Amino acid sequence: MISFQGVHKWFKDLHVLNDVNLHVKQGEVFVVCGPSGSGKSTLIRAVNKLEPIQKGHVVVDGYDLSDEKTDINLLRAEIGFVFQQFNLYPHLTVLKNITLAPLKIRKLPKQEAEEQATALLERVGLADKRDAYPAQLSGGQQQRVAIARSLAMKPKIMLFDEPTSALDPEMIGEVLQVMQGLAHTGMTLMVVTHEMGFAREVADRVVFMDYGVILEEATPEEFFRNPRHERAQLFLKEILSPMH
Amino acid sequence: MFNYQFDWAVVTSGQYAQWLLSGIKVTIELSVVAIVGSFLLGLIIAVMRMSNVRPVRWFAHAYLEFFRNTPLLVQIFFWYFGSYKILPKVVNDWLNTTNFEFSAAVIALTIYTSAFIAEDIRSGVRAIPKEQMEAAQSSGFSYLRSMYYIILPQAVRLTIPTLINQFLNLTKNSSLAMTIGVAELTYQARQVESYTFKGFEAFTAATLVYLALSIIITWMLTLYNKHVLNPLGVR
């Protein structure tokens, strides 16, 4: 479903993606972890071309992003993206945040778009917030609306870029539960996260990267029980028991 | 020294009051058409100014520099006395079916003000976090549609106070249209003065009307922003 083939990217002298080769299968829950600055956000942003790459190929649903014939806007409509900072549209109500793209891009009739949005809001537990503005919601609620907004396009793939990193601890659970629910629907999910609990329970595969290089690729059991790479061992130790 | 006989009746009743009223009507028409036009044109120029396509960006830049840095009066004279010599025949034919003085004044005011508005809107756009554009594009909106649905509506809200300023300037600048014979408020006040020698009354009346118009414009846009565009006072 998503395939990285010899992908390189540089920010000036900094080699942020260094020969990345990965294949995310359809229906897979694919977790990317690694320390800050390891290139994991850049990696996930390359999937919908928010970050263009300089060498190699990213192929999504059979379309090569570097092919000029690929209509990136059409492709992006099939790829949901959830940001660390939610990035809801502050001037629109929750309902309009969700219905905007279905109305304007999918050309859904208004009634259908609103019914669908209402159903999605129920699914993320926010049916009563449809007429609220983003500024009136907590971080966890905003993130759930952002997930509903992405789902409203009925995407084939959902990308999550550290979806819980900007949240207060007591709100992380509500967002992870929504994501877990999604994983069970068989949608393809690629998730950049530090939530090792989520990775352990929900992921089909985990990759660990640092310095733009994929250092380890394993099932969650292998990764957590017996990480092979020294850097991954250190990372897991730090993140699982920060005080040692 | 104060032996001047005030005669306010000159401007409050009779034929001269009619002149002033018709002047007010023309000033309002001129201002409203040019406000709407300069706002729309300003939006387009602002977006062109931020385009990735170099020639488009350069064109917008040249437009801005040209129209912001030349006197409005000269621009009015250009459109009135000069433009028909270079405009295509169809355009001239069409302009001649309209009131040409009025059209030339509208064009000059619209273009002149649009240059200022474009810069205001551009700084509004720059104040919107770039993640808004990323979110819109991630949903499948093209750059231009992201601008239209997500970025510009937010940028315009931020820009309302400076836009009000531009609209007030425009309304006051519309008085320059008298120089090409548009019978707007200042023109009519001048007429009243010529016929009656009651310059004090005539121009006091004109001044008060401009003041009232400015206050009404400010008030309407502020209320519109407060209750329609941004009921929550967000950002």
Side-chain angles (χ1 to χ4, degrees), chain B residues 10-235:
Chain B
V10 166
V11 293
T12 55
S13 61
Q15 186 198 358
Y16 302 128
Q18 289 302 317
W19 287 3
L20 288 179
L21 269 183
S22 82
I24 293 171
K25 186 166 159 274
V26 174
T27 288
I28 291 175
E29 283 168 1
L30 196 56
S31 302
V32 168
V33 176
I35 281 174
V36 173
S38 62
F39 176 63
L40 296 177
L41 194 57
L43 280 174
I44 293 169
I45 299 294
V47 172
M48 289 172 72
R49 181 75 182 86
M50 293 178 287
S51 166
N52 289 327
V53 187
R54 250 183 231 165
V56 173
R57 197 164 67 231
W58 286 343
F59 169 83
H61 196 174
Y63 178 100
L64 291 172
E65 295 301 338
F66 189 83
F67 290 108
R68 282 194 308 164
N69 295 321
T70 50
L72 174 57
L73 188 56
V74 174
Q75 292 183 30
I76 290 175
F77 284 160
F78 172 81
W79 291 109
Y80 186 62
F81 296 113
S83 68
Y84 69 91
K85 292 176 177 153
I86 54 160
L87 289 175
K89 188 169 180 306
V90 268
V91 179
N92 276 326
D93 288 349
W94 176 76
L95 281 173
N96 283 328
T97 65
T98 68
N99 175 340
F100 184 57
E101 290 82 20
F102 185 84
S103 304
V106 164
I107 292 169
L109 281 169
T110 298
I111 290 181
Y112 177 79
T113 312
S114 74
F116 292 90
I117 287 177
E119 282 299 78
D120 290 342
I121 288 174
R122 188 164 72 108
S123 54
V125 168
R126 287 164 66 160
I128 305 299
K130 70 174 194 333
E131 287 80 8
Q132 288 289 311
M133 177 57 92
E134 288 183 352
Q137 292 193 308
S138 293
S139 297
F141 286 112
S142 66
Y143 175 81
L144 284 179
R145 296 182 87 202
S146 303
M147 273 285 170
Y148 183 77
Y149 290 117
I150 315 294
I151 308 298
L152 288 176
Q154 295 182 57
V156 168
R157 282 166 173 73
L158 280 183
T159 317
I160 289 275
T162 47
L163 284 180
I164 291 176
N165 239 334
Q166 300 301 353
F167 294 158
L168 295 185
N169 280 337
L170 186 153
T171 306
K172 291 178 287 178
N173 285 339
S174 73
S175 59
L176 289 174
M178 73 168 289
T179 57
I180 55 171
V182 178
E184 47 69 68
L185 178 58
T186 308
Y187 179 99
Q188 295 291 14
R190 182 91 176 78
Q191 286 281 94
V192 173
E193 192 272 338
S194 307
Y195 278 73
T196 62
F197 301 107
K198 293 290 176 193
F200 184 85
E201 290 83 344
F203 286 108
T204 300
T207 303
L208 292 177
V209 171
Y210 280 115
L211 187 64
L213 284 178
S214 294
I215 289 169
I216 290 169
I217 290 173
T218 307
W219 181 72
M220 284 194 331
L221 281 173
T222 307
L223 283 185
Y224 181 68
N225 188 37
K226 202 169 158 191
H227 294 292
V228 183
L229 288 181
N230 197 355
L232 287 175
V234 181
R235 267 226 292 270

Side-chain angles (χ1 to χ4, degrees), chain A residues 32-52:
Chain A
V32 182
C33 59
S36 326
S38 59
K40 54 195 193 309
S41 276
T42 310
L43 181 77
I44 200 167
R45 288 161 61 90
V47 178
N48 73 349
K49 218 178 178 181
L50 280 181
E51 297 286 355

Side-chain angles (χ1 to χ4, degrees), chain A residues 199-212:
Chain A
R200 200 194 297 255
E201 280 185 37
V202 183
D204 296 307
R205 251 182 327 149
V206 179
V207 299
F208 174 81
M209 68 188 294
D210 201 2
Y211 308 112

Side-chain angles (χ1 to χ4, degrees), chain A residues 26-170:
Chain A
Q26 184 163 2
E28 198 170 31
V29 178
F30 193 91
V31 167
V32 182
C33 59
S36 326
S38 59
K40 54 195 193 309
S41 276
T42 310
L43 181 77
I44 200 167
R45 288 161 61 90
V47 178
N48 73 349
K49 218 178 178 181
L50 280 181
E51 297 286 355
I53 57 164
Q54 281 133 13
K55 200 172 153 209
H57 295 274
V58 177
V59 181
V60 180
D61 195 21
Y63 295 96
D64 187 337
L65 297 193
S66 44
D67 186 342
E68 280 180 8
K69 278 179 292 206
T70 300
D71 183 337
I72 187 65
N73 295 324
L74 279 181
L75 195 57
R76 278 173 175 158
E78 307 297 333
I79 308 172
F81 198 104
V82 176
F83 297 85
Q84 184 177 347
Q85 297 292 346
F86 337 127
N87 299 340
L88 294 177
Y89 310 133
H91 62 303
L92 300 177
T93 61
V94 163
L95 185 75
K96 286 185 176 161
N97 262 277
I98 299 175
T99 56
L100 184 68
L103 286 173
K104 304 301 176 188
I105 293 174
R106 296 275 193 247
K107 312 272 186 230
L108 282 192
K110 191 163 181 234
Q111 197 194 342
E112 196 181 329
E114 290 186 354
E115 280 168 8
Q116 182 198 302
T118 309
L120 283 167
L121 281 172
E122 263 164 36
R123 184 157 151 200
V124 300
L126 291 170
D128 55 331
K129 298 292 184 191
R130 49 176 271 161
D131 297 318
Y133 283 85
Q136 296 170 305
L137 304 181
S138 72
Q141 291 171 331
Q142 289 192 50
Q143 193 61 297
R144 284 186 279 155
V145 172
I147 293 172
R149 175 175 71 177
S150 289
L151 290 175
M153 292 297 279
K154 299 203 167 75
K156 294 178 180 159
I157 300 169
M158 284 285 280
L159 307 174
F160 292 84
D161 185 9
E162 300 202 35
T164 57
S165 299
L167 298 178
D168 290 340
E170 73 267 26

